[in-house]
Amino acid sequence: MSKPKILLLGDIEHQSAKESFDALSSVAEFLTSKSDNPSDFLNECRSGAFNGVRAAYRTFNSVKITGRIEGEVCEELGKAGLRFLAHNGAGYDQCNIPDCTKAGIHVSNVPTAVDAATADTAIFLMLGALRMFASPLMNLRKGEFRGKTPPPLGHDPESKMVGIVGMGGIGRDFKKKAEALGMKVQYHNRSKLSDEISGGAKYAGFEELLGTSDVISLNVPLNSLQKSTHHMISTPQFSKMKDGVVIVNTARGAVIDEAALVKALSDGKVFSAGLDVYEEEPKIHQGLVDNPHVMLLPHMGTWTYETQEKMEQFVVDNVRSALETGKLKSPVQEQKDMPLKD
């Protein structure tokens, strides 16, 4: 009996994860793509090059090769035999889950390995935004010290109310770190969590959270299960917030209407913002780039050696679980009860 095939989309960077992946050669045959753009990849799928593939390891940057995993790509991979797609990332908006489901492809993500590093990034952005550190950082490197005009005075985090939108692993990690700074915490989630899971944080309705938080941290996915998260923060939501609110986003860029955020910053409704993600990244709204009071990072939330290594190992574990048990270790929420097509 021939071995099942594993398709590697993208590169595995860390040696320990490479060794774990290579060890799968005892139970599977490896395939790679010869394409370097989405058009060629689709033609490669159509050609039958991936026939017999059972599972795929997919990196975030492989989107440059494959494009989004949707439509005909899903159809062709499903016909080739793909049943498991292990995606390296907590967010999986690069994959169209309804299309994958229709094609019989089960998708997994990396829901826990990213928590601490992403929460650390959110804390950094929050402090930078509260303290107005963005312009002094730039001015110092230009030889102007604090700047020709001193920046506005910032705010201390102590005693401020932070509202967490999305109380998953990242949100809960962020909560603990915010409390260590002396902040008060409330959260909004799809459903209220037990006190044990939420750490005793106050649950608030969405509009209540908007109107009573000094800082709002966004930690929600952008996916087909929660279509409402696309532009969930826009002009109507900004109008309900406290004057001088600080916005932090380490989730996905499109949960905020960037044009509305630029206007809210210009109008003074929003004091400052700390952003790691953008609607059309790597493109960033010019109004954000030009605003000296906004802390900007180029999607660095999980950019640490330790976290990247853990993420890669987690994906390998998903592939191994799929081949050995017929189930993914961490299926995406939309497919929790999805039966195997075969």
Side-chain angles (χ1 to χ4, degrees), residues 16 104 110 126 174 178 182 235 317 326:
S16 62
V110 181
M126 178 186 72
F174 177 82
T235 301
D317 291 345

Side-chain angles (χ1 to χ4, degrees), residues 30-89:
F30 296 155
L31 298 177
T32 57
S33 172
K34 297 178 181 178
S35 304
D36 60 9
N37 63 76
S39 178
D40 286 352
F41 181 74
L42 177 56
N43 287 330
E44 197 174 11
C45 291
R46 290 168 175 161
S47 74
F50 305 133
N51 285 350
V53 67
R54 182 71 172 175
Y57 179 119
R58 179 185 185 278
T59 70
F60 183 84
N61 287 330
S62 69
V63 70
K64 298 173 185 176
I65 299 169
T66 67
R68 279 173 49 83
I69 304 298
E70 62 183 354
E72 192 177 353
V73 168
C74 287
E75 292 175 20
E76 293 297 333
L77 289 173
K79 286 191 290 186
L82 184 67
R83 292 296 173 263
F84 304 102
L85 179 64
H87 168 71
N88 188 357

Side-chain angles (χ1 to χ4, degrees), residues 247-261:
I247 303 294
V248 177
N249 187 13
T250 55
R252 283 293 184 265
V255 303
I256 297 181
D257 179 345
E258 282 187 359
L261 173 59

Side-chain angles (χ1 to χ4, degrees), residues 105-127:
I105 301 170
H106 296 242
V107 181
S108 64
N109 67 331
V110 181
T112 55
V114 304
D115 293 351
T118 306
D120 289 344
T121 302
I123 291 291
F124 170 83
L125 289 169
M126 178 186 72
L127 289 174

Side-chain angles (χ1 to χ4, degrees), residues 44 61 67 84 91-92 94 146 155 164 218 261 281:
E44 197 174 11
N61 287 330
F84 304 102
Y92 46 94
Q94 291 179 348
R146 288 180 181 168
H155 295 285
I164 300 173
L218 300 170
L261 173 59
E281 60 184 67

Side-chain angles (χ1 to χ4, degrees), residues 300-338:
M300 301 287 285
T302 61
W303 203 256
T304 74
Y305 182 95
E306 294 84 359
T307 296
Q308 294 280 318
E309 185 177 38
K310 285 190 292 184
M311 291 173 71
E312 289 187 341
Q313 187 60 61
F314 199 102
V315 182
V316 174
D317 291 345
N318 259 313
V319 173
R320 180 176 289 280
S321 176
L323 295 179
E324 293 181 348
T325 72
K327 295 180 181 180
L328 290 163
K329 178 180 174 181
S330 58
V332 298
Q333 183 67 34
E334 299 94 319
Q335 296 181 335
K336 288 287 187 183
D337 302 314
M338 177 180 166

